[in-house]
Every structure is written in structure tokens, then in C-alpha cells.
Amino acid sequence: MSKVVVVGSYVVDLMSRTPHLPKPGETVLGGPFQMGPGGKGGNQATAAARSGSDVTFLTKLGDDVFGREALKHFTNENVNIDYIKVDPDQATGAALIEVDDKGENSIVVALGACGTITEAEVIEAEDKIKEADIVLIQLETSIEAIVTTVKVAKNHGVPVILNPAPYQEFPREILLDVAYITPNETEAFELTGIEVTDERTALTAAKVIYEQGVHTVIITLGSKGAYLYTGGDSGELIPSFTVEAVDTTGAGDAFNGGFAHAISNGSSVKDAMKFANAVAALSVTKIGTAPAMPYKHEVEALLAKAVK
Ligand code: ADP
């Protein structure tokens, strides 16, 4: 079983339907309320664990009801919670999500405890990082945690996947020590200033990211799939699977969790992207983020069907 360490965010998703998104100062009577585990780190950890990896998740929670629910969730998912810190002085992160009748949303993410992971807290997990096959990080936590994770992984020769989401400025020199980077179109724009809309523009942006130091660039292109560039004149689109999409939130998280699982299990980059596309495609057929992540047998069934 491949070992994956995920360092990143946990937030509880608090979602309400609403006839229309409230204007400033307005109170709207909403529709059904839904609550579930979320945050990019937590979603990606869940996706990798359901894909079949041995996952350790490093994050920070508050000593509150949402934090206790999070620990229950990760225990149920067979994710190692030894490095999930509980900080009595902070609240567990929360995403306040409103979705209107047209499917438009507006979201406030209050990172709370998981936004304050320190260098020392990452170093506490050094032994775990040392024995990992892959380390997976996002940008939804403190820069200190991100930079330290890359440094510790590098010191032990463990490859790092950076999912640069949601985009925030970070010290670009860490890209020299990142093995794989997985921006979506928006994040690719933030990294390069190049609008990515198709394979041609994906290639142009990927070349710029490659020059910044990461030598396997994977730009996810929504329902089109994901574009791979590893140097030279051209890259390659690894196409997605055709499914009936009902909720695409968390698609990128599914892709990253699936990719981390497959690449740490010894797959080639292209095969790992194919696996990741399958995980992500299945995730968009269900509502929610972490709860929508598919299990290994579902992914294998979709891959087998595609071969026939
Ligand atoms: P994000 O969720 O970060 O915006 P993308 O929209 O690029 O990321 O989606 C990530 C991956 O999810 C894609 O590379 C693809 O594999 C898969 N995906 C997204 N939308 C669909 C869809 N409608 N049908 C099938 N796969 C999809």
C-alpha cells in the first residue's frame, strides 16, 4: 500500500440553498441546509484514501463540535489522524456556502485553525514524511506550513505534488523542489499571466511554469481532462471520462487525491492522470466534496469499461 502524506486545510462545509444570493445587508430565507466535511486538504486526503492509499493527514482543528466531527470522518475513512492537531484557542475552519436556483454560488472560507499550521507542527511529522511515497499539498493553509513541508520532503528525497489552489502568493523558489504541479485554468493564469482556454494556451502556460522549476506540469481543463507537459515542444491532453455531471465542486480535489494515489503506487504519469481523471469524473456525478469521492472499486470499474 503506497503511503501518502497530505498537509493542508480542513473546513466544515455549511451549505444552504437560496432563491437568490443575498445582497449586502439583505437576509434571505434559504432552502435546505447541508453540512459535510470539506477543505482542499481534507477532500484530497479522503480521495486518496478511498482510492486505496495509506494516508496520513496533517491539519489543525478547533476543540469544538466541527473538529470532533472531522476526527470521526477521517477515522471512518481510515485516514491516519495522529498528526491532526487540536488547538483549544481556535475554531475549526468553516466554508459558508450559498447556492442559488441557477447554481451560482458565493462562498466565504474562514480557515480558522488550519490556516495557522506552524513550522514546528510540520517538523513533528518529519518521521511520517520521511517514510512517505508522496507528499501532497495545496495553498489553502499558512505559507509557513507549505514551505516547511516542501523543505522536509526534499531533505528526505520524497517527491511533492503541489496543487496551487486556491491561489495565493507564495515563495516561487519552492517550485524548484516540487516534482508535480497541478493548477486548474484559473491557477495557471495566476502563475503565468496566460489565459488558459484550450490545449494551445495550456502548452504556452505549461512552458512558463516549467521554466519556474517544476518539471512535470499538469493543467486540469475541467470536462476536457488534463494537459501534461514535461519539457520540449509539445504536451499531451489526457482526456476526461464522459459522465453526467451534477456537482463539479471538489473535482480538482478528487483529481489530486487520485493522482497522488496512482503515482505513489508506481504508475506512469500518464496512467496516474488517467486514474485521476476517472476519480474526478466519478466525483462530479455526486453532490458534495469529500462525501462525493469514489472508492477504488468504482474507479477500477470505470477504467475497465473505458478499455472495452
Ligand atoms: P477544479 O475543480 O480545480 O476547478 P477542473 O475543473 O479543472 O478543476 O477539474 C479537475 C478534473 O476533474 C478535470 O481534469 C477532469 O478530470 C475532471 N472533471 C471536471 N469536470 C468534469 C466533467 N464535467 N466531466 C468529467 N470530468 C470532469
Side-chain angles (χ1 to χ4, degrees):
M1 217 184 201
S2 62
K3 295 194 182 78
V4 176
V5 171
V6 181
V7 179
S9 59
Y10 175 83
V11 304
V12 58
D13 284 341
L14 303 171
M15 202 272 278
S16 166
R17 308 290 308 199
T18 168
H20 66 267
L21 300 176
K23 291 187 260 312
E26 185 183 4
T27 298
V28 178
L29 289 180
F33 168 74
Q34 253 179 331
M35 176 175 133
K40 290 185 183 295
N43 294 341
Q44 296 184 16
T46 304
R50 290 190 180 183
S51 294
S53 281
D54 170 357
V55 178
T56 296
F57 181 34
L58 191 161
T59 192
K60 201 148 84 172
L61 307 170
D63 185 10
D64 50 26
V65 63
F66 295 141
R68 286 188 280 283
E69 285 297 316
L71 292 173
K72 259 193 248 167
H73 165 77
F74 292 112
T75 305
N76 287 340
E77 298 294 338
N78 294 316
V79 169
N80 176 2
I81 60 168
D82 291 353
Y83 297 91
I84 299 185
K85 286 261 161 195
V86 175
D87 182 341
D89 297 325
Q90 297 199 68
T92 300
L96 313 173
I97 308 170
E98 297 150 9
V99 183
D100 74 9
D101 287 346
K102 295 190 278 288
E104 291 285 341
N105 62 35
S106 107
I107 306 178
V108 177
V109 180
L111 284 182
C114 75
T116 66
I117 302 170
T118 62
E119 178 176 6
E121 284 162 348
V122 174
I123 289 172
E124 269 178 51
E126 180 158 8
D127 282 350
K128 206 71 202 176
I129 293 172
K130 188 162 80 180
E131 61 180 40
D133 297 300
I134 202 100
V135 169
L136 173 59
I137 54 171
Q138 311 77 30
L139 296 179
E140 198 169 54
T141 181
S142 63
I143 295 296
E144 184 177 335
I146 295 159
V147 170
T148 310
T149 303
V150 173
K151 196 161 73 185
V152 171
K154 182 196 175 190
N155 287 346
H156 296 289
V158 179
V160 174
I161 304 169
L162 170 62
N163 173 226
Y167 189 79
Q168 62 164 317
E169 283 304 324
F170 64 98
R172 292 282 175 101
E173 59 271 18
I174 68 168
L175 294 180
L176 294 165
D177 300 319
V178 164
Y180 310 93
I181 190 164
T182 56
N184 67 10
E185 289 149 317
T186 313
E187 293 136 17
F189 173 77
E190 297 282 358
L191 286 164
T192 64
I194 294 160
E195 295 255 15
V196 175
T197 51
D198 54 15
E199 284 184 59
R200 191 182 57 82
T201 45
L203 173 61
T204 313
K207 284 182 173 168
V208 174
I209 299 169
Y210 183 94
E211 290 305 320
Q212 294 175 7
V214 195
H215 288 169
T216 302
V217 180
I218 295 167
I219 302 182
T220 61
L221 300 173
S223 60
K224 293 197 227 34
Y227 189 83
L228 171 65
Y229 179 75
T230 55
D233 292 334
S234 59
E236 188 179 342
L237 177 75
I238 310 296
S240 68
F241 292 86
T242 305
V243 290
E244 197 159 324
V246 298
D247 177 10
T248 59
T249 42
D253 293 338
F255 184 94
N256 279 280
F259 182 76
H261 164 73
I263 202 82
S264 62
N265 242 331
S267 293
S268 68
V269 176
K270 281 187 208 173
D271 283 346
M273 288 172 67
K274 200 167 156 192
F275 187 92
N277 276 331
V279 174
L282 289 165
S283 80
V284 306
T285 64
K286 291 197 184 134
I287 291 175
T289 54
M293 299 305 171
Y295 289 92
K296 187 186 176 83
H297 67 271
E298 298 171 291
V299 183
E300 283 171 350
L302 179 60
L303 288 167
K305 206 166 81 186
V307 171
K308 279 188 204 140

